[in-house]
Amino acid sequence: MKMDQGTFDVGCCFIGLILLFAPPSVSSASVYRKSACLGQSIPLPCNGAARSGAELFFMQHGEQKTFQKVAEMTSGRVSAEPEFEGRLKSDPMEQPGSYGLILGPLVYNDGGSYECRPKNSTAARVETIVDILFPFQVSMAMGEPAILPCVGNIKKQAHHGDLCVQWTRDGMVICKYCNNTLTCSPEFKNRASLSTDHILQGNMSLTIKPTRSSDRGYYQCSYNEEKGNPAIVSLTVAAHPPLRLTVKEGDSLPVPLYTTEPLNVMFSTAAGSDEVLVASVKKGSVLFRSRHLGRVLSNTVVLQSVTLLDSGVYSITENDTGEAIGTVFVQVTGSCVSAGTVAGITLLVAVVAAAISIFISHMCLKKSFQWAEVGQ
Ligand SMILES: *[C@@H]1O[C@H](CO)[C@@H](O)[C@H](O)[C@H]1NC(C)=O
Ligand SMILES: *[C@@H]1O[C@H](CO)[C@@H](O)[C@H](O)[C@H]1NC(C)=O
Ligand SMILES: *[C@@H]1O[C@H](CO)[C@@H](O)[C@H](O)[C@H]1NC(C)=O
Ligand SMILES: *[C@@H]1O[C@H](CO)[C@@H](O)[C@H](O)[C@H]1NC(C)=O
């Protein structure tokens, strides 16, 4: 059985479309099998023309009864039963029928068989068997290693030589461990690994180190044509939580690099304002692009001798995507007498001066009153 990708690849979750049974004549049904993730949408193909209309029937997994009608289409308009209301829409498509329906977002009990029966009796029915997958979630901060779990009941007598483990991402093969050799696609070469010691015990987990933003997706593992467990792993790669740093004028400012490379360190005076490139880091060496002096020290760019003008937002971004890996909000304070202290002293002097002048004028006023009394 071959996977027919591309035709119904919905972009996020890998949706394999397998033609199980093609009809010998026009009146019998074609049967397809698909798997899709919870929350995604899937196309349900029909035959014939949208304008002639069709009816959609459904039989839930585990039911042995007959199909129940769940929706009706008339000239592209869909009216559905309450369980499917608002989740079915008409979809003009190229292959394999000339149009169909889109069901989504999928809920867990949408798993079952769907049959599209065109109202025009000369067009063939199309049956689609839908399996709903619930992805195992792995969430990492960019640059951190991710372990994508996968286990299988590998035969105790198996040797590395007769074992072939395959990992796919969104339906494309990314790594293969066959005949004792791991080969990965260029994107994962030198970053993906399998623990060969664990494989013969049934643990085929894939380690990606360091992670990049482009590693996001849905991963599946199989061995000798059998599916591993969990059936699908969803990897999320996010930015690190922002940091806040206060440094004294003249001191060094450490900017963390989070192990991902190549990357850039950008600076702006405030979040959202224009950014300037401060430094580019590649293979552990740093190239300073603006006025800063510094060095790379154990995954940190150290900016030396900062000034008050260095206060602002530093974002660490992936060079290839420009996506933020992390953000550091930096405040540089004056080394001896800060602006705040100067303002404080000025205020104090002003208050004292005001108090003295009020006191003097009060005394003068008192004196003039006394004079006035004497004069009367
Ligand atoms: C019914 O379907 C057949 C075959 O798909 C097509 O040739 C014919 O034009 C259709 N008739 C109508 C009324 O849509
Ligand atoms: C596996 O590798 C060995 C040598 O490393 C080679 O002799 C053998 O033919 C290979 N088997 C397959 C199926 O490729
Ligand atoms: C499977 O192997 C990975 C390393 O590849 C390891 O981190 C993980 O703990 C193992 N899982 C189990 C269930 O043994
Ligand atoms: C950084 O990205 C640009 C394009 O986005 C590319 O031309 C350049 O080669 C990259 N630099 C490194 C060090 O990968």
Side-chain angles (χ1 to χ4, degrees):
M1 219 177 271
K2 276 257 183 264
M3 291 277 178
D4 177 0
Q5 299 159 22
T7 325
F8 289 117
D9 213 331
V10 170
C12 184
C13 193
F14 164 64
I15 295 173
L17 178 71
I18 309 161
L19 182 59
L20 296 178
F21 175 72
S25 71
V26 211
S27 54
S28 49
S30 318
V31 181
Y32 293 93
R33 183 154 209 141
K34 281 178 202 180
S35 34
C37 286
L38 210 59
Q40 302 299 310
S41 297
I42 44 157
L44 301 170
C46 293
N47 268 328
R51 69 186 139 72
S52 51
E55 290 171 321
L56 186 72
F57 286 77
F58 175 61
M59 183 167 62
Q60 201 171 347
H61 277 324
E63 274 181 29
Q64 300 295 325
K65 289 180 274 167
T66 48
F67 282 91
Q68 308 235 319
K69 188 172 142 186
V70 294
E72 182 150 2
M73 283 165 286
T74 332
S75 2
R77 283 179 63 108
V78 185
S79 59
E81 291 297 306
E83 321 85 86
F84 291 94
E85 210 175 344
R87 296 196 297 128
L88 277 169
K89 62 176 197 271
S90 179
D91 174 33
M93 56 166 114
E94 302 294 317
Q95 290 287 327
S98 53
Y99 80 109
L101 284 160
I102 293 176
L103 172 63
L106 291 168
V107 294
Y108 197 76
N109 65 3
D110 283 339
S113 291
Y114 294 81
E115 196 173 88
C116 182
R117 299 179 188 170
K119 283 183 183 161
N120 175 353
S121 57
T122 53
R125 296 172 173 187
V126 183
E127 187 184 340
T128 310
I129 303 165
V130 175
D131 298 309
I132 312 290
L133 301 174
F134 179 60
F136 182 95
Q137 308 276 346
V138 175
S139 182
M140 296 314 301
M142 248 184 260
E144 299 285 307
I147 297 174
L148 310 181
C150 179
V151 294
N153 190 16
I154 287 172
K155 282 201 171 60
K156 292 245 182 266
Q157 300 83 359
H159 300 287
H160 284 293
D162 46 43
L163 188 64
C164 206
V165 176
Q166 182 172 287
W167 273 94
T168 60
R169 203 254 323 258
D170 299 333
M172 312 287 279
V173 177
I174 55 150
C175 285
K176 252 183 175 176
Y177 174 77
C178 294
N179 196 13
N180 229 343
T181 316
L182 178 71
T183 44
C184 290
S185 65
E187 207 193 328
F188 289 92
K189 209 176 169 185
N190 304 324
R191 288 198 305 131
S193 63
L194 289 164
S195 163
T196 49
D197 295 342
H198 288 114
I199 287 178
L200 290 183
Q201 293 163 4
N203 179 357
M204 300 163 282
S205 302
L206 186 76
T207 303
I208 302 174
K209 183 182 165 179
T211 47
R212 297 180 186 154
S213 68
S214 57
D215 294 336
R216 288 178 194 127
Y218 290 87
Y219 291 77
Q220 285 178 298
C221 154
S222 63
Y223 59 102
N224 296 355
E225 310 291 310
E226 282 195 63
K227 284 194 175 98
N229 192 8
I232 191 157
V233 179
S234 155
L235 175 64
T236 315
V237 184
H240 290 253
L243 294 177
R244 278 170 204 286
L245 287 179
T246 304
V247 284
K248 275 206 198 103
E249 195 179 10
D251 281 1
S252 294
L253 167 64
V255 179
L257 299 181
Y258 304 116
T259 71
T260 322
E261 282 185 33
L263 57 78
N264 297 314
V265 178
M266 312 294 292
F267 170 76
S268 64
T269 47
S273 62
D274 285 349
E275 288 188 315
V276 289
L277 180 59
V278 173
S280 300
V281 184
K282 188 187 175 184
K283 293 195 175 123
S285 67
V286 62
L287 191 61
F288 286 93
R289 307 284 185 162
S290 57
R291 65 198 139 82
H292 289 99
L293 284 175
R295 61 210 144 97
V296 179
L297 200 70
S298 61
N299 273 321
T300 307
V301 161
V302 183
L303 304 180
Q304 287 165 344
S305 312
V306 293
T307 69
L308 294 175
L309 295 174
D310 294 323
S311 287
V313 188
Y314 291 80
S315 52
I316 303 102
T317 60
E318 267 187 325
N319 179 69
D320 300 337
T321 61
E323 218 178 294
I325 303 167
T327 310
V328 189
F329 294 91
V330 175
Q331 201 197 346
V332 181
T333 56
S335 52
C336 51
V337 185
S338 73
T341 318
V342 171
I345 290 170
T346 314
L347 190 68
L348 191 68
V349 169
V351 166
V352 170
I356 290 170
S357 68
I358 288 169
F359 178 75
I360 290 171
S361 61
H362 185 76
M363 291 308 284
C364 291
L365 218 61
K366 245 185 166 169
K367 271 230 158 78
S368 59
F369 268 122
Q370 280 168 355
W371 266 2
E373 276 165 20
V374 170
Q376 266 181 355

